[in-house]
Amino acid sequence: MITWCLRALPGMDGHRLAKVALALVRNAHHHSRSGEPGGTVRVVLDRGRAWLPHLLVIDDGPPDPPHLTYPRLERVSAHSGLALVERLTVYWDWSWRWNGAAVRPLTVHAVLESQDR
C-alpha cells in the first residue's frame, strides 16, 4: 500500500497519505468485520480536487456486538489511529450504509491538504 500511496501522490503528500491510509486500514481490521476471515477493506483516492485529495476507506461494518460502536476520536488516546488521522488531515468523518435494520459498510472519509504545490 505504501508504494501505491507514493505513486498516487508524489513527495511528502504520498508519505502523509500512506500514514493516514495505513492507520485507517488497521482500524478497519481491528474494529470491524473486515478483520474477520473473508473480511475486506477498500481504499479509494479521489484526486478530483487538485489541492485537496480525498481518501475513502470502506470496511465491512461493525461486528454484531450488543452495543454498536462507531469511529470517534478519544482525546485521552493521543497515539490512536484516529488521532493520527486528525493531525494529518484537514477534515475527516464517517458514514454507515444501512441494509434493512443492520449496519453494513462503514466509510471513513479523510481530506488531505496538498503540501507539494
Side-chain angles (χ1 to χ4, degrees):
M1 176 179 305
I2 294 172
T3 302
W4 176 82
C5 291
L6 294 174
R7 285 184 182 153
L9 295 177
M12 291 308 293
D13 287 345
H15 289 282
R16 282 185 312 110
L17 173 65
K19 289 177 183 178
V20 171
L22 286 171
L24 292 175
V25 168
R26 284 185 187 125
N27 276 3
H29 284 152
H30 182 59
H31 297 290
S32 78
R33 285 190 298 260
S34 295
E36 297 173 2
T40 61
V41 177
R42 188 168 53 145
V43 179
V44 176
L45 180 64
D46 177 356
R47 294 181 295 173
R49 298 160 196 93
W51 304 117
L52 293 170
H54 288 234
L55 176 69
L56 298 119
V57 176
I58 303 105
D59 67 35
D60 290 335
D64 296 320
H67 302 290
L68 197 58
T69 61
Y70 55 90
R72 66 177 172 260
L73 182 60
E74 300 289 345
R75 297 290 177 195
V76 296
S77 183
H79 300 292
S80 73
L82 288 180
L84 178 106
V85 172
E86 177 82 5
R87 284 192 304 273
L88 296 179
T89 64
V90 294
Y91 172 81
W92 71 272
D93 68 1
W94 58 273
S95 62
W96 279 322
R97 190 165 8 149
W98 290 84
N99 181 5
V103 173
R104 291 296 175 223
L106 182 137
T107 301
V108 176
H109 175 204
V111 180
L112 292 93
E113 181 179 25
S114 179
Q115 302 296 314
D116 298 330
R117 297 185 201 187

